[in-house]
RNA sequence: GUGGGUGUGGCGAAGUGGUUAACGCACCGGAUUGUGGCUCCGGCAUUCGUGGGUUCAAGUCCCACCAUCCACCCCA
């Protein structure tokens, strides 16, 4: 009846203990890799002025047209939960004048994004991205570094069967020409195109190239590609990016049909794909966006970056049965018998925690039997048993759970003892 | 926004119109005095997503709604 109180909003997830450790591990690794490459973390707000995304992402994109979580705040400001991380990063770069520091600026972020989509495997309304951005260099080695960083990260996780697809979508001039030649190419074929592609022809003919309908694929077989339409300058840039990729041993596939959905992309576009996690096979996607910073009110500044889907990454790791850390077990469990001992065990627990041990205890006045059962569930190596008898003598029983042996030691000796034993067993 | 599948206790899962809704796991308690893992015993769904309808009788049939999963569009 009051189900909404116990049901999370559609397309969102609770990350529970046991699972959250995996997230922490993935985030830590991302931070470490970024650090080695000289990228610095940036944390921008989770919401921004709607205008930023209209401008930055593009008014005709699906994100803006139908996927944004937008609302008026109490001050009548039009606010949107960020659907992606690049525009906010650009905004922060400009607002905080990071361009005044040595260039290029190399940033990374990890955090939630929001898109109002129908959820399915690997797609959620709140999802998390790890992304990097480089502002201020159009050097082809930067393109290769960005792609290489993503590959490095994924390889360190031991993932198999990854495919790096790259393409160039050219500069705005190339794109304009390409669009015209595409429309001309499909002119006499438009009646045969599928329903969605019929509509795409006028608005976004680029997308016909990666339509999944077999007939559209066949029809577009010999269509001009962004690559073939690229001007000499863009061709050269793309060529150099490939040379740099080869230099660092990254295997890639040139996919002339690869186009990215957001308006701001120019030149290099790339995706890292993986099979086996459902229809949404793009683990990571990114590219160059040399016009975006100017579009957002800055001086003309080249940029490039990627976004990597954390949920999809977890799905992949799961599917490939890669092991990740799970929740740890306490060092010791403290069982007590009787009210006095309960109080003493409470103090003992806190003293030991202050010494750095991970300590669990009983909070329910359970029977000793039940407490040992609980200790067993926690899989602790040692249980301290504190009863009236021991308490009187300033002692505790220290029980080795695996060997079922226990000795009596004085409370003052516990720390030393555990220090030695727990280290030895580690 | 469109299409398809699913919806029984914390989880897995029987049940296909008829007395008290199997079973497994998990959880909690107990098997004489303060001792876990094995075993045994006991407890744990006034109820089958929600609301209507058909029927003498519905978890079982019909309708609607909701949720969830998958897919399309698109994207991470």
């Amino acid at each position: 009846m009051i189900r909404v109180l116990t049901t999370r909003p559609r397309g969102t997830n609770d990350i529970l203990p046991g699972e959250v450790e995996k997230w922490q591990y993935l985030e830590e690794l991302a931070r470490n890799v970024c650090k080695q490459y000289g990228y610095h973390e940036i944390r921008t707000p989770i919401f921004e002025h709607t205008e930023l995304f209209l401008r930055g992402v593009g008014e005709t994109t699906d994100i803006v047209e139908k996927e944004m979580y937008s609302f008026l705040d109490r001050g009548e400001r039009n606010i949107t939960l960020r659907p992606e991380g690049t525009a906010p990063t650009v905004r922060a770069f400009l607002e905080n004048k990071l361009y005044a520091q040595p260039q290029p600026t190399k940033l990374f972020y990890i955090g939630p994004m929001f898109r109002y989509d129908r959820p399915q495997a690997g797609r959620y309304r709140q999802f998390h991205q790890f992304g990097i951005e480089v502002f201020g260099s159009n050097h082809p080695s930067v393109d290769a570094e960005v792609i290489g960083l993503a590959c490095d990260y994924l390889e360190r996780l031991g993932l198999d069967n990854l495919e790096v697809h790259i393409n160039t979508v050219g500069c705005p001039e190339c794109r304009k020409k390409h669009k015209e030649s595409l429309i001309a190419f499909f002119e006499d074929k438009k009646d045969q195109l599928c329903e969605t592609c019929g509509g795409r022809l006028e608005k976004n003919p680029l997308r016909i190239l990666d339509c999944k309908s077999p007939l559209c694929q066949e029809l577009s077989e010999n269509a001009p590609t962004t690559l073939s339409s690229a001007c000499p300058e863009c061709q050269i840039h793309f060529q150099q990016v490939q040379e740099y990729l080869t230099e660092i041993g990254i295997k890639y596939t040139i996919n002339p049909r690869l186009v990215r959905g957001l308006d701001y992309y120019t030149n290099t576009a790339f995706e890292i794909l993986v099979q086996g996690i459902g229809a949404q096979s793009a683990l990571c996607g990114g590219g160059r966006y040399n016009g975006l910073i100017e579009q957002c009110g800055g001086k003309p500044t080249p940029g490039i970056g990627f976004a990597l889907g954390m949920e999809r990454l977890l799905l992949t790791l799961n599917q490939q049965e890669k092991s990740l850390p799970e929740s740890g077990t306490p060092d010791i469990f403290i069982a007590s018998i009787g009210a006095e001992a309960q109080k003493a065990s409470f103090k003992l627990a806190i003293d030991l925690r202050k010494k750095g041990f991970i300590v669990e205890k009983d909070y329910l006045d359970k029977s000793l039997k039940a407490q040992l059962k609980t200790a067993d569930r926690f899989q602790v190596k040692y249980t301290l048993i504190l009863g009236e008898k021991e308490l009187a003598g300033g002692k505790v029983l220290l029980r080795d759970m695996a060997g079922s042996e226990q000795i009596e030691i004085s409370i003052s000796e516990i720390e030393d003892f555990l220090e030695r034993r727990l280290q030895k067993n580690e």
Side-chain angles (χ1 to χ4, degrees), chain A residues 279-296:
Chain A
Q280 309 307 318
S281 57
L283 244 191
C284 175
R288 198 163 259 296
Y289 42 83
N290 287 347
L292 178 61
I293 294 170
E294 189 177 8
Q295 175 79 19
C296 290

mmCIF file with all atom_site columns, all heavy atoms in Angstrom, chain A residues 279-296:
data_model
loop_
_atom_site.group_PDB
_atom_site.id
_atom_site.type_symbol
_atom_site.label_atom_id
_atom_site.label_alt_id
_atom_site.label_comp_id
_atom_site.label_asym_id
_atom_site.label_entity_id
_atom_site.label_seq_id
_atom_site.pdbx_PDB_ins_code
_atom_site.Cartn_x
_atom_site.Cartn_y
_atom_site.Cartn_z
_atom_site.occupancy
_atom_site.B_iso_or_equiv
_atom_site.pdbx_formal_charge
_atom_site.auth_seq_id
_atom_site.auth_comp_id
_atom_site.auth_asym_id
_atom_site.auth_atom_id
_atom_site.pdbx_PDB_model_num
ATOM 1   N N   . ALA A 1 279 ? 22.785 -6.078 -24.667 1.00 0.00 ? 279 ALA A N   1
ATOM 2   C CA  . ALA A 1 279 ? 22.852 -5.311 -25.907 1.00 0.00 ? 279 ALA A CA  1
ATOM 3   C C   . ALA A 1 279 ? 23.750 -4.091 -25.794 1.00 0.00 ? 279 ALA A C   1
ATOM 4   O O   . ALA A 1 279 ? 24.212 -3.561 -26.792 1.00 0.00 ? 279 ALA A O   1
ATOM 5   C CB  . ALA A 1 279 ? 21.451 -4.893 -26.321 1.00 0.00 ? 279 ALA A CB  1
ATOM 6   N N   . GLN A 1 280 ? 23.942 -3.613 -24.568 1.00 0.00 ? 280 GLN A N   1
ATOM 7   C CA  . GLN A 1 280 ? 24.754 -2.404 -24.382 1.00 0.00 ? 280 GLN A CA  1
ATOM 8   C C   . GLN A 1 280 ? 26.214 -2.805 -24.220 1.00 0.00 ? 280 GLN A C   1
ATOM 9   O O   . GLN A 1 280 ? 26.697 -3.010 -23.118 1.00 0.00 ? 280 GLN A O   1
ATOM 10  C CB  . GLN A 1 280 ? 24.282 -1.625 -23.155 1.00 0.00 ? 280 GLN A CB  1
ATOM 11  C CG  . GLN A 1 280 ? 22.795 -1.361 -23.135 1.00 0.00 ? 280 GLN A CG  1
ATOM 12  C CD  . GLN A 1 280 ? 22.298 -0.703 -24.392 1.00 0.00 ? 280 GLN A CD  1
ATOM 13  O OE1 . GLN A 1 280 ? 22.926 0.189  -24.916 1.00 0.00 ? 280 GLN A OE1 1
ATOM 14  N NE2 . GLN A 1 280 ? 21.157 -1.170 -24.899 1.00 0.00 ? 280 GLN A NE2 1
ATOM 15  N N   . SER A 1 281 ? 26.900 -2.927 -25.363 1.00 0.00 ? 281 SER A N   1
ATOM 16  C CA  . SER A 1 281 ? 28.232 -3.517 -25.300 1.00 0.00 ? 281 SER A CA  1
ATOM 17  C C   . SER A 1 281 ? 29.347 -2.485 -25.178 1.00 0.00 ? 281 SER A C   1
ATOM 18  O O   . SER A 1 281 ? 30.495 -2.854 -25.068 1.00 0.00 ? 281 SER A O   1
ATOM 19  C CB  . SER A 1 281 ? 28.467 -4.388 -26.526 1.00 0.00 ? 281 SER A CB  1
ATOM 20  O OG  . SER A 1 281 ? 28.291 -3.610 -27.690 1.00 0.00 ? 281 SER A OG  1
ATOM 21  N N   . ALA A 1 282 ? 28.996 -1.206 -25.208 1.00 0.00 ? 282 ALA A N   1
ATOM 22  C CA  . ALA A 1 282 ? 30.047 -0.188 -25.103 1.00 0.00 ? 282 ALA A CA  1
ATOM 23  C C   . ALA A 1 282 ? 30.407 0.050  -23.643 1.00 0.00 ? 282 ALA A C   1
ATOM 24  O O   . ALA A 1 282 ? 29.629 0.566  -22.853 1.00 0.00 ? 282 ALA A O   1
ATOM 25  C CB  . ALA A 1 282 ? 29.589 1.109  -25.748 1.00 0.00 ? 282 ALA A CB  1
ATOM 26  N N   . LEU A 1 283 ? 31.604 -0.402 -23.303 1.00 0.00 ? 283 LEU A N   1
ATOM 27  C CA  . LEU A 1 283 ? 32.094 -0.241 -21.939 1.00 0.00 ? 283 LEU A CA  1
ATOM 28  C C   . LEU A 1 283 ? 32.560 1.195  -21.728 1.00 0.00 ? 283 LEU A C   1
ATOM 29  O O   . LEU A 1 283 ? 32.437 1.764  -20.657 1.00 0.00 ? 283 LEU A O   1
ATOM 30  C CB  . LEU A 1 283 ? 33.315 -1.137 -21.749 1.00 0.00 ? 283 LEU A CB  1
ATOM 31  C CG  . LEU A 1 283 ? 33.291 -2.269 -20.768 1.00 0.00 ? 283 LEU A CG  1
ATOM 32  C CD1 . LEU A 1 283 ? 34.701 -2.804 -20.605 1.00 0.00 ? 283 LEU A CD1 1
ATOM 33  C CD2 . LEU A 1 283 ? 32.730 -1.826 -19.449 1.00 0.00 ? 283 LEU A CD2 1
ATOM 34  N N   . CYS A 1 284 ? 33.162 1.708  -22.775 1.00 0.00 ? 284 CYS A N   1
ATOM 35  C CA  . CYS A 1 284 ? 33.802 3.001  -22.688 1.00 0.00 ? 284 CYS A CA  1
ATOM 36  C C   . CYS A 1 284 ? 33.644 3.701  -24.032 1.00 0.00 ? 284 CYS A C   1
ATOM 37  O O   . CYS A 1 284 ? 33.747 3.061  -25.069 1.00 0.00 ? 284 CYS A O   1
ATOM 38  C CB  . CYS A 1 284 ? 35.288 2.780  -22.377 1.00 0.00 ? 284 CYS A CB  1
ATOM 39  S SG  . CYS A 1 284 ? 36.288 4.265  -22.373 1.00 0.00 ? 284 CYS A SG  1
ATOM 40  N N   . GLY A 1 285 ? 33.361 4.977  -23.991 1.00 0.00 ? 285 GLY A N   1
ATOM 41  C CA  . GLY A 1 285 ? 33.223 5.704  -25.239 1.00 0.00 ? 285 GLY A CA  1
ATOM 42  C C   . GLY A 1 285 ? 33.783 7.107  -25.086 1.00 0.00 ? 285 GLY A C   1
ATOM 43  O O   . GLY A 1 285 ? 33.750 7.676  -24.000 1.00 0.00 ? 285 GLY A O   1
ATOM 44  N N   . GLY A 1 286 ? 34.343 7.615  -26.157 1.00 0.00 ? 286 GLY A N   1
ATOM 45  C CA  . GLY A 1 286 ? 34.873 8.962  -26.029 1.00 0.00 ? 286 GLY A CA  1
ATOM 46  C C   . GLY A 1 286 ? 35.356 9.498  -27.348 1.00 0.00 ? 286 GLY A C   1
ATOM 47  O O   . GLY A 1 286 ? 35.120 8.886  -28.401 1.00 0.00 ? 286 GLY A O   1
ATOM 48  N N   . GLY A 1 287 ? 36.027 10.615 -27.280 1.00 0.00 ? 287 GLY A N   1
ATOM 49  C CA  . GLY A 1 287 ? 36.540 11.201 -28.491 1.00 0.00 ? 287 GLY A CA  1
ATOM 50  C C   . GLY A 1 287 ? 36.945 12.638 -28.276 1.00 0.00 ? 287 GLY A C   1
ATOM 51  O O   . GLY A 1 287 ? 36.933 13.135 -27.144 1.00 0.00 ? 287 GLY A O   1
ATOM 52  N N   . ARG A 1 288 ? 37.320 13.237 -29.365 1.00 0.00 ? 288 ARG A N   1
ATOM 53  C CA  . ARG A 1 288 ? 37.778 14.611 -29.328 1.00 0.00 ? 288 ARG A CA  1
ATOM 54  C C   . ARG A 1 288 ? 36.598 15.562 -29.485 1.00 0.00 ? 288 ARG A C   1
ATOM 55  O O   . ARG A 1 288 ? 35.579 15.217 -30.090 1.00 0.00 ? 288 ARG A O   1
ATOM 56  C CB  . ARG A 1 288 ? 38.799 14.801 -30.459 1.00 0.00 ? 288 ARG A CB  1
ATOM 57  C CG  . ARG A 1 288 ? 39.681 15.995 -30.332 1.00 0.00 ? 288 ARG A CG  1
ATOM 58  C CD  . ARG A 1 288 ? 40.902 15.882 -31.227 1.00 0.00 ? 288 ARG A CD  1
ATOM 59  N NE  . ARG A 1 288 ? 42.093 15.484 -30.486 1.00 0.00 ? 288 ARG A NE  1
ATOM 60  C CZ  . ARG A 1 288 ? 42.664 16.216 -29.515 1.00 0.00 ? 288 ARG A CZ  1
ATOM 61  N NH1 . ARG A 1 288 ? 42.146 17.369 -29.138 1.00 0.00 ? 288 ARG A NH1 1
ATOM 62  N NH2 . ARG A 1 288 ? 43.732 15.776 -28.901 1.00 0.00 ? 288 ARG A NH2 1
ATOM 63  N N   . TYR A 1 289 ? 36.691 16.721 -28.865 1.00 0.00 ? 289 TYR A N   1
ATOM 64  C CA  . TYR A 1 289 ? 35.608 17.717 -28.976 1.00 0.00 ? 289 TYR A CA  1
ATOM 65  C C   . TYR A 1 289 ? 36.241 19.104 -29.037 1.00 0.00 ? 289 TYR A C   1
ATOM 66  O O   . TYR A 1 289 ? 36.196 19.884 -28.101 1.00 0.00 ? 289 TYR A O   1
ATOM 67  C CB  . TYR A 1 289 ? 34.640 17.600 -27.800 1.00 0.00 ? 289 TYR A CB  1
ATOM 68  C CG  . TYR A 1 289 ? 35.283 17.382 -26.454 1.00 0.00 ? 289 TYR A CG  1
ATOM 69  C CD1 . TYR A 1 289 ? 35.769 18.469 -25.721 1.00 0.00 ? 289 TYR A CD1 1
ATOM 70  C CD2 . TYR A 1 289 ? 35.422 16.105 -25.923 1.00 0.00 ? 289 TYR A CD2 1
ATOM 71  C CE1 . TYR A 1 289 ? 36.376 18.273 -24.483 1.00 0.00 ? 289 TYR A CE1 1
ATOM 72  C CE2 . TYR A 1 289 ? 36.024 15.914 -24.694 1.00 0.00 ? 289 TYR A CE2 1
ATOM 73  C CZ  . TYR A 1 289 ? 36.494 16.994 -23.990 1.00 0.00 ? 289 TYR A CZ  1
ATOM 74  O OH  . TYR A 1 289 ? 37.104 16.800 -22.771 1.00 0.00 ? 289 TYR A OH  1
ATOM 75  N N   . ASN A 1 290 ? 36.838 19.383 -30.195 1.00 0.00 ? 290 ASN A N   1
ATOM 76  C CA  . ASN A 1 290 ? 37.608 20.615 -30.298 1.00 0.00 ? 290 ASN A CA  1
ATOM 77  C C   . ASN A 1 290 ? 36.776 21.893 -30.311 1.00 0.00 ? 290 ASN A C   1
ATOM 78  O O   . ASN A 1 290 ? 37.320 22.976 -30.123 1.00 0.00 ? 290 ASN A O   1
ATOM 79  C CB  . ASN A 1 290 ? 38.512 20.562 -31.537 1.00 0.00 ? 290 ASN A CB  1
ATOM 80  C CG  . ASN A 1 290 ? 39.687 19.612 -31.333 1.00 0.00 ? 290 ASN A CG  1
ATOM 81  O OD1 . ASN A 1 290 ? 39.962 19.193 -30.202 1.00 0.00 ? 290 ASN A OD1 1
ATOM 82  N ND2 . ASN A 1 290 ? 40.371 19.247 -32.399 1.00 0.00 ? 290 ASN A ND2 1
ATOM 83  N N   . GLY A 1 291 ? 35.453 21.744 -30.519 1.00 0.00 ? 291 GLY A N   1
ATOM 84  C CA  . GLY A 1 291 ? 34.640 22.958 -30.540 1.00 0.00 ? 291 GLY A CA  1
ATOM 85  C C   . GLY A 1 291 ? 33.901 23.238 -29.250 1.00 0.00 ? 291 GLY A C   1
ATOM 86  O O   . GLY A 1 291 ? 33.305 24.301 -29.064 1.00 0.00 ? 291 GLY A O   1
ATOM 87  N N   . LEU A 1 292 ? 33.917 22.285 -28.341 1.00 0.00 ? 292 LEU A N   1
ATOM 88  C CA  . LEU A 1 292 ? 33.035 22.380 -27.169 1.00 0.00 ? 292 LEU A CA  1
ATOM 89  C C   . LEU A 1 292 ? 33.363 23.534 -26.237 1.00 0.00 ? 292 LEU A C   1
ATOM 90  O O   . LEU A 1 292 ? 32.473 24.224 -25.747 1.00 0.00 ? 292 LEU A O   1
ATOM 91  C CB  . LEU A 1 292 ? 33.065 21.060 -26.400 1.00 0.00 ? 292 LEU A CB  1
ATOM 92  C CG  . LEU A 1 292 ? 32.234 21.028 -25.119 1.00 0.00 ? 292 LEU A CG  1
ATOM 93  C CD1 . LEU A 1 292 ? 30.758 21.271 -25.440 1.00 0.00 ? 292 LEU A CD1 1
ATOM 94  C CD2 . LEU A 1 292 ? 32.389 19.697 -24.399 1.00 0.00 ? 292 LEU A CD2 1
ATOM 95  N N   . ILE A 1 293 ? 34.645 23.726 -25.977 1.00 0.00 ? 293 ILE A N   1
ATOM 96  C CA  . ILE A 1 293 ? 35.012 24.737 -24.987 1.00 0.00 ? 293 ILE A CA  1
ATOM 97  C C   . ILE A 1 293 ? 34.631 26.135 -25.479 1.00 0.00 ? 293 ILE A C   1
ATOM 98  O O   . ILE A 1 293 ? 34.085 26.948 -24.736 1.00 0.00 ? 293 ILE A O   1
ATOM 99  C CB  . ILE A 1 293 ? 36.513 24.609 -24.642 1.00 0.00 ? 293 ILE A CB  1
ATOM 100 C CG1 . ILE A 1 293 ? 36.706 23.255 -23.929 1.00 0.00 ? 293 ILE A CG1 1
ATOM 101 C CG2 . ILE A 1 293 ? 36.977 25.768 -23.766 1.00 0.00 ? 293 ILE A CG2 1
ATOM 102 C CD1 . ILE A 1 293 ? 38.148 22.853 -23.729 1.00 0.00 ? 293 ILE A CD1 1
ATOM 103 N N   . GLU A 1 294 ? 34.837 26.358 -26.757 1.00 0.00 ? 294 GLU A N   1
ATOM 104 C CA  . GLU A 1 294 ? 34.412 27.622 -27.348 1.00 0.00 ? 294 GLU A CA  1
ATOM 105 C C   . GLU A 1 294 ? 32.886 27.733 -27.298 1.00 0.00 ? 294 GLU A C   1
ATOM 106 O O   . GLU A 1 294 ? 32.327 28.776 -26.957 1.00 0.00 ? 294 GLU A O   1
ATOM 107 C CB  . GLU A 1 294 ? 34.911 27.703 -28.793 1.00 0.00 ? 294 GLU A CB  1
ATOM 108 C CG  . GLU A 1 294 ? 34.698 29.052 -29.419 1.00 0.00 ? 294 GLU A CG  1
ATOM 109 C CD  . GLU A 1 294 ? 35.263 29.120 -30.837 1.00 0.00 ? 294 GLU A CD  1
ATOM 110 O OE1 . GLU A 1 294 ? 35.689 28.067 -31.367 1.00 0.00 ? 294 GLU A OE1 1
ATOM 111 O OE2 . GLU A 1 294 ? 35.264 30.216 -31.401 1.00 0.00 ? 294 GLU A OE2 1
ATOM 112 N N   . GLN A 1 295 ? 32.247 26.630 -27.598 1.00 0.00 ? 295 GLN A N   1
ATOM 113 C CA  . GLN A 1 295 ? 30.777 26.569 -27.561 1.00 0.00 ? 295 GLN A CA  1
ATOM 114 C C   . GLN A 1 295 ? 30.242 26.946 -26.178 1.00 0.00 ? 295 GLN A C   1
ATOM 115 O O   . GLN A 1 295 ? 29.173 27.511 -26.031 1.00 0.00 ? 295 GLN A O   1
ATOM 116 C CB  . GLN A 1 295 ? 30.349 25.139 -27.929 1.00 0.00 ? 295 GLN A CB  1
ATOM 117 C CG  . GLN A 1 295 ? 28.879 24.845 -27.834 1.00 0.00 ? 295 GLN A CG  1
ATOM 118 C CD  . GLN A 1 295 ? 28.133 25.383 -29.044 1.00 0.00 ? 295 GLN A CD  1
ATOM 119 O OE1 . GLN A 1 295 ? 28.721 25.657 -30.090 1.00 0.00 ? 295 GLN A OE1 1
ATOM 120 N NE2 . GLN A 1 295 ? 26.828 25.539 -28.881 1.00 0.00 ? 295 GLN A NE2 1
ATOM 121 N N   . CYS A 1 296 ? 31.028 26.638 -25.160 1.00 0.00 ? 296 CYS A N   1
ATOM 122 C CA  . CYS A 1 296 ? 30.613 26.924 -23.788 1.00 0.00 ? 296 CYS A CA  1
ATOM 123 C C   . CYS A 1 296 ? 31.104 28.289 -23.311 1.00 0.00 ? 296 CYS A C   1
ATOM 124 O O   . CYS A 1 296 ? 31.017 28.597 -22.118 1.00 0.00 ? 296 CYS A O   1
ATOM 125 C CB  . CYS A 1 296 ? 31.118 25.838 -22.840 1.00 0.00 ? 296 CYS A CB  1
ATOM 126 S SG  . CYS A 1 296 ? 30.282 24.265 -23.060 1.00 0.00 ? 296 CYS A SG  1
#
